[in-house]
Amino acid sequence: MQDDLGFDRLLDDDGFVARLLGRTRSGRQRKPLYGPDLPVVFLVGGPGMGKGRLLGCVRHDFGRFVPTAHLDCGAPAVTERVAQRPELRSEVTEALREMALQFGKWQGTGGALPAPRLYAGLLAVATSDRRSSTESLVSEVREQDGLLPPGTFWRGVLSRAVRGYLAALGGLVATPAAVPIISAVLDELLARMSREGTAALKRCYGEYPGAGGSPELGLHTLAAHFQQGGQGRENAEKFLFRALREDIEAAHTSVTGRMTRVGRPALLLDRADNTLGRRLTRAVLEDRERGHHDRLVVLATARREDGGRFLHPPGHADEGRAATWQPADGGLPTWSRSPVGDPGLASPGRGALLVRMPLLTRDQQEREIARTQGSVGTGAGGQGLPVGPGFPGSGPSRLRVETGIRRLSGGRPLFVSRLAEATAAFRMPEEGSDWDLLDAPAGTRDEQEEHAVADVLLDDLVVRQLPEELPPEQREHWLDLLSHLSVAHDADCAQALMRERQAEREERLSAYRIAELLRDCGWPHCPRHFIGDLGLRHLLARRLYGTRAGGAAWREDHTFLRDRLAGEEEGAPDALFGTAAAHRMHHHLAADGAGNGHGAPGAEAVTNYLARTFYTRETRDWCGELLAIADVPLLGGPDDRRARALGAGGTRGGAFHRRVDKLLHVVWLCEDRARTVDDAVTSTLRLLLERLSDESEHGAEVLTRVAGEWSERAGNKQALLPCACTGHIR
């Protein structure tokens, strides 16, 4: 995928990132957005929305002109370093150390950014465990030396102290110290530092709670709090992060910094909605809420649209909700910290700006498909340009591939790119649909076999992005559970299905908990479908169908849900389907709806039901039930729906019964979001509804109005029964 695809309004010379950092991608200066009080910017969007890709663009392009550090908060490297010496390290200390090392390697205008304040704090932590041997503590102290870049002012300031305490430590290794090693290290450090160094540490660690202006006491207390664990350690970690930001601020406000440094430095936190990321961003939010301002631009990624639950803890003021901005809105986001009565009760979200990651527009999707597949496509204006080498043509098959990609992806960038790559040489079968696209080979992920693009997408979007709070014993079952839930609609159905499918397991997940975990992963919600993203639902349904021969698992799930409703009275109300009977018919059609050339048993039963209830239901309710029943994908078996819709292969019964059967198949095709319906089918829709109006004295007006509404939607390629996950389809 083109790295900056879809980011035009974010990355251009007058875009959000350039104005936030004060520099363009080419290094030109721009007036920075906001004042000294900066928001923490969260790039929010679910899996495959390009959050990490955007951070990569900022790091690669803007990182040449402003100091930039990048940290993947979900990477195992931090955890692995902590595991080596957990008594002296934490995820936060190792993350801060990595940030400082990256800032210390900055080679642009103004040179490296040293971190002497953080260095002193990490020295205190490195020598804080009285149970560790002197040798291990000395080794840990020497681990911190990389935080002071050679040739910098601070390296010179601390050089005497470094030589002094290392000499002292050498003696301690030979002869065990009578005093804690932390005292020896800090005494040497503070005694041998220059006046400027001592003043800097006093301003920083003298402000540590309980220090009373003494940097030595502040460092000792910080180290003791770190060893306490729990809230004490968390407070120490927050202060260490403040120390690093003060180092960065000092590098920009010094005489040399003011003359040489232009723009704001950036900290890029990928996967910042996990534990480590939340600790880091919360520290910045709380400090800035209390007036500790700095110029560090923090760009963090989060999958939930609201940035994450930690931004909106219960019991905090509602006026502290995070501001939001979408690039499609145009302009630049305005942000300022609104007044609040008690800052201690304000939501952390008050200091956040949520930037919603943009979906690809239709034009952007066409350009990406064309770029990937070797053609420029037709474009919004319909201009046909030459096809590239090896491109399999730009006829009807190619157009159906492109529209299928748009339907399945919904503009999700990773979905678009994966499908475009996999279908570069794909020819759509004459009676094919989007399900065929998902079977296209996507290349190898290992040396053994080639994988279908659907399996690669599930790996990208689900397996590699498991919910943080998913219990370890459920990780290997997560994809299976979601696959079963692809057939469910409301939470009650989903819960019944989960009880059935996990009956043999000791550890189970409820559907309600799964819904929470899906929201935490950033997947959208649809009131009509438990899996609220059309593309993800198709991936999971395809996987479920292929789990067992002949789609047995798919049929069993639908049959279970159908039979679960068998005890309900036919007219019992149902929130999504109108009645329990209509809900039952929906699953019956899904379980046994594949055509066989002579009419599918599932479709026959539904036709009989609709014909029987036409005279007993209110006409508007009857039409609603028809739409809800027919909103079901067809998997497996020959597809004779078009023939049935146009009157071929008729069903048993009289003219009215045949008319209802044709209407069912027309609506079924129109509601099938996996294919484009031709004009012959859509033009039949109005005719059938108007003919049915002859059968109802009291419903003729309703049917005539419905005929107009439905035929207009069908003509515009819209769903007859709109919902949140199909609204993008045109």
Side-chain angles (χ1 to χ4, degrees), residues 149-227:
T152 62
F153 167 77
W154 271 101
R155 187 73 172 187
V157 167
L158 291 173
S159 60
R160 289 174 299 167
V162 171
R163 288 195 299 270
Y165 73 65
L166 285 181
L169 291 177
L172 290 174
V173 172
T175 306
V179 295
I181 190 171
I182 183 173
S183 297
V185 169
L186 294 181
D187 286 348
E188 287 289 338
L189 177 68
L190 294 169
R192 295 175 180 269
M193 281 184 68
S194 67
R195 182 184 305 168
E196 297 93 333
T198 303
L201 291 189
K202 182 175 181 179
R203 285 192 299 271
C204 179
Y205 290 101
E207 292 185 5
Y208 193 83
S214 166
E216 183 176 12
L217 181 56
L219 287 165
H220 272 279
T221 307
L222 181 146
H225 285 171
F226 185 87
Q227 286 299 323

Side-chain angles (χ1 to χ4, degrees), residues 429-649:
E430 185 65 28
E431 296 298 325
S433 69
D434 296 353
W435 300 103
D436 298 291
L437 296 183
L438 296 178
D439 290 330
T444 58
R445 281 262 169 133
D446 49 51
E447 298 180 356
Q448 268 64 47
E449 58 180 318
E450 192 170 53
H451 298 276
V453 66
D455 299 323
V456 173
L457 279 166
L458 280 175
D459 188 57
D460 287 335
L461 300 173
V462 178
V463 177
R464 294 171 183 262
Q465 302 201 47
L466 296 175
E468 183 190 15
E469 296 181 8
L470 183 66
E473 63 272 12
Q474 296 289 353
R475 292 178 178 269
E476 64 180 279
H477 305 302
W478 180 242
L479 195 53
D480 290 332
L481 296 179
L482 295 186
S483 298
H484 287 296
L485 288 169
S486 66
V487 309
H489 293 83
D490 58 19
D492 288 342
C493 259
Q495 178 64 1
L497 195 57
M498 286 297 93
R499 282 198 299 265
E500 178 70 13
R501 296 298 170 243
Q502 299 178 92
E504 303 301 320
R505 294 181 193 162
E506 185 67 26
E507 302 293 337
R508 305 173 190 174
L509 278 177
S510 74
Y512 308 102
R513 181 59 179 141
I514 292 174
E516 290 179 345
L517 294 174
L518 285 172
R519 284 195 294 274
D520 286 346
C521 286
W523 289 108
H525 171 69
C526 175
R528 294 201 62 84
H529 301 92
F530 189 87
I531 302 295
D533 181 88
L534 178 70
L536 177 61
R537 192 163 65 250
H538 273 62
L539 295 175
L540 295 169
R542 174 194 173 276
R543 181 181 182 277
L544 178 63
Y545 192 88
T547 301
R548 290 164 53 194
W554 162 270
R555 299 181 193 282
E556 281 185 10
D557 281 350
H558 278 290
T559 300
F560 168 77
L561 293 175
R562 179 198 66 188
D563 294 345
R564 172 177 171 268
L565 297 162
E568 299 281 346
E569 294 183 8
E570 184 171 278
D574 186 281
L576 295 182
F577 291 84
T579 64
H583 196 165
R584 187 169 65 249
M585 287 294 103
H586 167 89
H587 290 294
H588 187 64
L589 186 62
D592 206 6
N596 56 19
H598 304 287
E604 288 291 336
V606 173
T607 297
N608 292 336
Y609 169 78
L610 291 170
R612 186 177 72 252
T613 58
F614 181 78
Y615 296 104
T616 61
R617 294 274 193 274
E618 290 289 337
T619 304
R620 176 65 73 175
D621 295 339
W622 184 87
C623 291
E625 286 193 13
L626 168 61
L627 290 182
I629 291 170
D631 178 24
V632 63
L634 176 66
L635 292 175
D639 186 355
D640 66 350
R641 290 178 296 175
R642 186 176 184 278
R644 293 284 292 276
L646 299 179

Side-chain angles (χ1 to χ4, degrees), residues 194-459:
S194 67
R195 182 184 305 168
E196 297 93 333
T198 303
L201 291 189
K202 182 175 181 179
R203 285 192 299 271
C204 179
Y205 290 101
E207 292 185 5
Y208 193 83
S214 166
E216 183 176 12
L217 181 56
L219 287 165
H220 272 279
T221 307
L222 181 146
H225 285 171
F226 185 87
Q227 286 299 323
Q228 285 177 11
Q231 187 61 50
R233 173 170 289 196
E234 185 175 334
N235 291 338
E237 291 170 340
K238 289 178 181 177
F239 201 90
L240 288 170
F241 195 6
R242 183 193 299 180
L244 175 59
R245 299 198 309 279
E246 288 189 10
D247 283 328
I248 295 169
E249 188 70 11
H252 282 76
T253 56
S254 67
V255 174
T256 303
R258 289 196 300 270
M259 295 175 59
T260 59
R261 300 190 190 277
V262 178
R264 292 169 173 154
L267 173 60
L268 313 177
L269 299 177
D270 201 3
R271 294 196 279 181
D273 50 358
N274 69 5
T275 302
L276 173 59
R278 292 196 300 271
R279 287 178 179 170
L280 294 171
T281 54
R282 185 183 288 114
V284 182
L285 289 165
E286 291 179 358
D287 271 351
R288 292 179 179 175
E289 183 69 43
R290 293 179 174 88
H292 295 282
H293 300 150
D294 58 84
R295 73 188 63 215
L296 182 65
V297 171
V298 180
L299 287 173
T301 70
R303 291 178 291 181
R304 278 180 64 126
E305 192 175 74
D306 62 2
R309 283 173 286 170
F310 82 101
L311 287 179
H312 315 285
H316 284 65
D318 289 338
E319 62 264 28
R321 307 299 289 181
T324 62
W325 177 69
Q326 300 185 73
D329 294 340
L332 293 170
T334 57
W335 182 89
S336 62
R337 195 179 299 274
S338 57
V340 66
D342 185 350
L345 295 178
S347 166
R350 201 167 81 95
L353 172 62
L354 308 183
V355 176
R356 292 180 178 168
M357 294 298 294
L359 294 167
L360 298 184
T361 65
R362 182 166 181 154
D363 284 351
Q364 289 168 339
Q365 292 181 61
E366 288 182 349
R367 288 199 297 271
E368 174 64 7
I369 293 169
R371 184 194 67 81
T372 304
Q373 301 187 344
S375 162
V376 296
T378 56
Q383 297 90 349
L385 296 176
V387 172
F391 190 69
S394 57
S397 173
R398 188 56 19 196
L399 180 61
R400 288 163 64 196
V401 168
E402 291 177 4
T403 55
I405 291 174
R406 287 198 300 271
R407 279 194 297 265
L408 286 168
S409 70
R412 195 176 292 267
L414 182 63
F415 223 128
V416 173
S417 65
R418 288 278 188 237
L419 286 175
E421 292 166 1
T423 58
F426 183 81
R427 289 187 180 274
M428 179 72 80
E430 185 65 28
E431 296 298 325
S433 69
D434 296 353
W435 300 103
D436 298 291
L437 296 183
L438 296 178
D439 290 330
T444 58
R445 281 262 169 133
D446 49 51
E447 298 180 356
Q448 268 64 47
E449 58 180 318
E450 192 170 53
H451 298 276
V453 66
D455 299 323
V456 173
L457 279 166
L458 280 175
D459 188 57

Side-chain angles (χ1 to χ4, degrees), residues 610-612 614-615 622 653-661 692 695:
L610 291 170
R612 186 177 72 252
F614 181 78
Y615 296 104
W622 184 87
F656 169 70
H657 197 275
R658 290 195 299 274
R659 213 169 284 147
V660 172
D661 184 71
L692 278 179
E695 303 285 341

